[in-house]
Amino acid sequence: MRIAILGTGRVAQTLAAGLLRAGHDVVFGSRDPESRTELPAPVLASADAVVGADVVLNAVPGVDTIPLLASIGPDNLDGAVLWDIANATNPDFSLAIPDDSLGRRIQEALPGAKVVKAGNNVAAVVVAEPSTLPAPTTLFLSGDD
């Protein structure tokens, strides 16, 4: 499966490592792909990374999500499964959109996308390598599709 990860930070890299170990074809989407040569998968401009992806994984900070997705364009994400792992917090960890949901706002901005909210309530390393847990567990998913 081809997975485009939007973002190149710690969460994106941790998830990419797990997805690569599982045999997926991973690309990163970045605002500045030329500066990210050390990553374990190709780095493209975000709009280019989502082309042909089976799943688009949003791993950018929550406050940056809607502007990034708007720059990619709703038409480029029509029909895409968009896995959102971001939390809508400011840099000081206060809520960026109190009384609302980042997932709901993404779905509103991208009505043709299949938004799935998952993995934002556990450490990225657990999502990438669930066998590190001592027992089977449940990962909560939320979405209309």
Side-chain angles (χ1 to χ4, degrees):
M1 181 180 297
R2 185 170 188 273
I3 301 174
I5 300 177
L6 299 176
T8 58
R10 181 180 47 81
V11 170
Q13 290 180 46
T14 300
L15 294 171
L19 292 166
L20 288 165
R21 278 193 304 275
H24 295 289
D25 177 19
V26 173
V27 297
F28 289 96
S30 173
R31 291 175 298 211
D32 186 17
E34 296 81 22
S35 71
R36 302 308 306 245
T37 58
E38 78 290 357
L39 298 177
V43 183
L44 308 172
S46 295
D48 296 331
V50 303
V51 174
D54 298 300
V55 174
V56 176
L57 196 165
N58 174 47
V60 300
V63 295
D64 297 332
T65 296
I66 299 296
L68 172 64
L69 295 173
S71 75
I72 292 171
D75 291 344
N76 292 325
L77 294 163
D78 267 357
V81 173
L82 195 147
W83 172 11
D84 178 40
I85 197 166
N87 286 313
T89 56
N90 294 306
D92 67 356
F93 296 105
S94 63
L95 293 176
I97 49 173
D99 302 321
D100 204 353
S101 156
L102 179 60
R104 188 199 67 75
R105 289 205 178 174
I106 293 170
Q107 188 68 80
E108 184 177 83
L110 305 170
K114 298 172 183 173
V115 179
V116 177
K117 187 76 171 183
N120 63 309
N121 59 341
V122 296
V125 67
V126 172
V127 176
E129 192 61 59
S131 65
T132 60
L133 296 175
T137 190
T138 299
L139 181 66
F140 296 101
L141 305 170
S142 178
D144 288 339
D145 291 291

PDB file of all heavy atoms in Angstrom, residues 69-79 109-113:
ATOM      1  N   LEU A  69      -3.692  21.337   4.402  1.00  0.00           N
ATOM      2  CA  LEU A  69      -4.631  20.642   3.538  1.00  0.00           C
ATOM      3  C   LEU A  69      -5.254  21.593   2.514  1.00  0.00           C
ATOM      4  O   LEU A  69      -5.473  21.203   1.368  1.00  0.00           O
ATOM      5  CB  LEU A  69      -5.707  19.944   4.367  1.00  0.00           C
ATOM      6  CG  LEU A  69      -5.180  18.811   5.263  1.00  0.00           C
ATOM      7  CD1 LEU A  69      -6.281  18.298   6.175  1.00  0.00           C
ATOM      8  CD2 LEU A  69      -4.544  17.702   4.466  1.00  0.00           C
ATOM      9  N   ALA A  70      -5.496  22.830   2.908  1.00  0.00           N
ATOM     10  CA  ALA A  70      -6.022  23.828   1.965  1.00  0.00           C
ATOM     11  C   ALA A  70      -5.003  24.092   0.859  1.00  0.00           C
ATOM     12  O   ALA A  70      -5.373  24.248  -0.312  1.00  0.00           O
ATOM     13  CB  ALA A  70      -6.376  25.115   2.694  1.00  0.00           C
ATOM     14  N   SER A  71      -3.717  24.108   1.207  1.00  0.00           N
ATOM     15  CA  SER A  71      -2.687  24.353   0.187  1.00  0.00           C
ATOM     16  C   SER A  71      -2.563  23.177  -0.781  1.00  0.00           C
ATOM     17  O   SER A  71      -2.218  23.359  -1.945  1.00  0.00           O
ATOM     18  CB  SER A  71      -1.332  24.648   0.837  1.00  0.00           C
ATOM     19  OG  SER A  71      -0.738  23.470   1.359  1.00  0.00           O
ATOM     20  N   ILE A  72      -2.842  21.967  -0.311  1.00  0.00           N
ATOM     21  CA  ILE A  72      -2.829  20.783  -1.183  1.00  0.00           C
ATOM     22  C   ILE A  72      -4.039  20.826  -2.104  1.00  0.00           C
ATOM     23  O   ILE A  72      -3.958  20.444  -3.270  1.00  0.00           O
ATOM     24  CB  ILE A  72      -2.810  19.493  -0.349  1.00  0.00           C
ATOM     25  CG1 ILE A  72      -1.471  19.371   0.387  1.00  0.00           C
ATOM     26  CG2 ILE A  72      -3.070  18.264  -1.213  1.00  0.00           C
ATOM     27  CD1 ILE A  72      -1.418  18.255   1.402  1.00  0.00           C
ATOM     28  N   GLY A  73      -5.155  21.271  -1.559  1.00  0.00           N
ATOM     29  CA  GLY A  73      -6.382  21.410  -2.352  1.00  0.00           C
ATOM     30  C   GLY A  73      -7.342  20.265  -2.148  1.00  0.00           C
ATOM     31  O   GLY A  73      -6.944  19.095  -2.235  1.00  0.00           O
ATOM     32  N   PRO A  74      -8.610  20.582  -1.882  1.00  0.00           N
ATOM     33  CA  PRO A  74      -9.608  19.534  -1.658  1.00  0.00           C
ATOM     34  C   PRO A  74      -9.735  18.563  -2.832  1.00  0.00           C
ATOM     35  O   PRO A  74      -9.948  17.372  -2.627  1.00  0.00           O
ATOM     36  CB  PRO A  74     -10.917  20.307  -1.451  1.00  0.00           C
ATOM     37  CG  PRO A  74     -10.499  21.678  -1.070  1.00  0.00           C
ATOM     38  CD  PRO A  74      -9.166  21.915  -1.710  1.00  0.00           C
ATOM     39  N   ASP A  75      -9.603  19.052  -4.057  1.00  0.00           N
ATOM     40  CA  ASP A  75      -9.741  18.158  -5.214  1.00  0.00           C
ATOM     41  C   ASP A  75      -8.653  17.095  -5.234  1.00  0.00           C
ATOM     42  O   ASP A  75      -8.881  15.980  -5.699  1.00  0.00           O
ATOM     43  CB  ASP A  75      -9.701  18.955  -6.526  1.00  0.00           C
ATOM     44  CG  ASP A  75     -10.942  19.814  -6.715  1.00  0.00           C
ATOM     45  OD1 ASP A  75     -11.948  19.575  -6.008  1.00  0.00           O
ATOM     46  OD2 ASP A  75     -10.898  20.721  -7.545  1.00  0.00           O
ATOM     47  N   ASN A  76      -7.465  17.421  -4.739  1.00  0.00           N
ATOM     48  CA  ASN A  76      -6.360  16.458  -4.718  1.00  0.00           C
ATOM     49  C   ASN A  76      -6.551  15.373  -3.661  1.00  0.00           C
ATOM     50  O   ASN A  76      -5.813  14.387  -3.654  1.00  0.00           O
ATOM     51  CB  ASN A  76      -5.032  17.173  -4.494  1.00  0.00           C
ATOM     52  CG  ASN A  76      -4.648  18.030  -5.673  1.00  0.00           C
ATOM     53  OD1 ASN A  76      -4.922  17.670  -6.814  1.00  0.00           O
ATOM     54  ND2 ASN A  76      -4.052  19.175  -5.408  1.00  0.00           N
ATOM     55  N   LEU A  77      -7.515  15.592  -2.755  1.00  0.00           N
ATOM     56  CA  LEU A  77      -7.763  14.614  -1.696  1.00  0.00           C
ATOM     57  C   LEU A  77      -9.146  13.971  -1.810  1.00  0.00           C
ATOM     58  O   LEU A  77      -9.523  13.183  -0.947  1.00  0.00           O
ATOM     59  CB  LEU A  77      -7.583  15.289  -0.331  1.00  0.00           C
ATOM     60  CG  LEU A  77      -6.132  15.722  -0.068  1.00  0.00           C
ATOM     61  CD1 LEU A  77      -6.054  16.729   1.053  1.00  0.00           C
ATOM     62  CD2 LEU A  77      -5.251  14.527   0.215  1.00  0.00           C
ATOM     63  N   ASP A  78      -9.871  14.279  -2.868  1.00  0.00           N
ATOM     64  CA  ASP A  78     -11.178  13.653  -3.085  1.00  0.00           C
ATOM     65  C   ASP A  78     -11.026  12.137  -3.184  1.00  0.00           C
ATOM     66  O   ASP A  78     -10.189  11.638  -3.923  1.00  0.00           O
ATOM     67  CB  ASP A  78     -11.828  14.167  -4.371  1.00  0.00           C
ATOM     68  CG  ASP A  78     -12.742  15.349  -4.120  1.00  0.00           C
ATOM     69  OD1 ASP A  78     -12.914  15.730  -2.957  1.00  0.00           O
ATOM     70  OD2 ASP A  78     -13.273  15.891  -5.106  1.00  0.00           O
ATOM     71  N   GLY A  79     -11.802  11.429  -2.414  1.00  0.00           N
ATOM     72  CA  GLY A  79     -11.773   9.971  -2.429  1.00  0.00           C
ATOM     73  C   GLY A  79     -10.663   9.365  -1.598  1.00  0.00           C
ATOM     74  O   GLY A  79     -10.636   8.153  -1.388  1.00  0.00           O
ATOM     75  N   ALA A 109     -13.644  20.705   5.621  1.00  0.00           N
ATOM     76  CA  ALA A 109     -12.789  21.326   4.596  1.00  0.00           C
ATOM     77  C   ALA A 109     -12.585  20.415   3.394  1.00  0.00           C
ATOM     78  O   ALA A 109     -12.339  20.899   2.282  1.00  0.00           O
ATOM     79  CB  ALA A 109     -11.433  21.693   5.201  1.00  0.00           C
ATOM     80  N   LEU A 110     -12.669  19.095   3.617  1.00  0.00           N
ATOM     81  CA  LEU A 110     -12.439  18.104   2.564  1.00  0.00           C
ATOM     82  C   LEU A 110     -13.628  17.160   2.471  1.00  0.00           C
ATOM     83  O   LEU A 110     -13.530  15.978   2.825  1.00  0.00           O
ATOM     84  CB  LEU A 110     -11.169  17.306   2.853  1.00  0.00           C
ATOM     85  CG  LEU A 110      -9.890  18.088   3.065  1.00  0.00           C
ATOM     86  CD1 LEU A 110      -8.791  17.180   3.580  1.00  0.00           C
ATOM     87  CD2 LEU A 110      -9.469  18.786   1.794  1.00  0.00           C
ATOM     88  N   PRO A 111     -14.764  17.629   1.987  1.00  0.00           N
ATOM     89  CA  PRO A 111     -15.961  16.790   1.996  1.00  0.00           C
ATOM     90  C   PRO A 111     -15.834  15.512   1.170  1.00  0.00           C
ATOM     91  O   PRO A 111     -16.541  14.535   1.437  1.00  0.00           O
ATOM     92  CB  PRO A 111     -17.055  17.704   1.439  1.00  0.00           C
ATOM     93  CG  PRO A 111     -16.337  18.808   0.749  1.00  0.00           C
ATOM     94  CD  PRO A 111     -15.003  18.944   1.411  1.00  0.00           C
ATOM     95  N   GLY A 112     -14.921  15.471   0.212  1.00  0.00           N
ATOM     96  CA  GLY A 112     -14.741  14.277  -0.610  1.00  0.00           C
ATOM     97  C   GLY A 112     -13.754  13.284  -0.050  1.00  0.00           C
ATOM     98  O   GLY A 112     -13.589  12.189  -0.578  1.00  0.00           O
ATOM     99  N   ALA A 113     -13.077  13.622   1.038  1.00  0.00           N
ATOM    100  CA  ALA A 113     -12.099  12.726   1.660  1.00  0.00           C
ATOM    101  C   ALA A 113     -12.782  11.825   2.680  1.00  0.00           C
ATOM    102  O   ALA A 113     -13.862  12.138   3.187  1.00  0.00           O
ATOM    103  CB  ALA A 113     -10.993  13.527   2.337  1.00  0.00           C
TER     104      ALA A 113
END
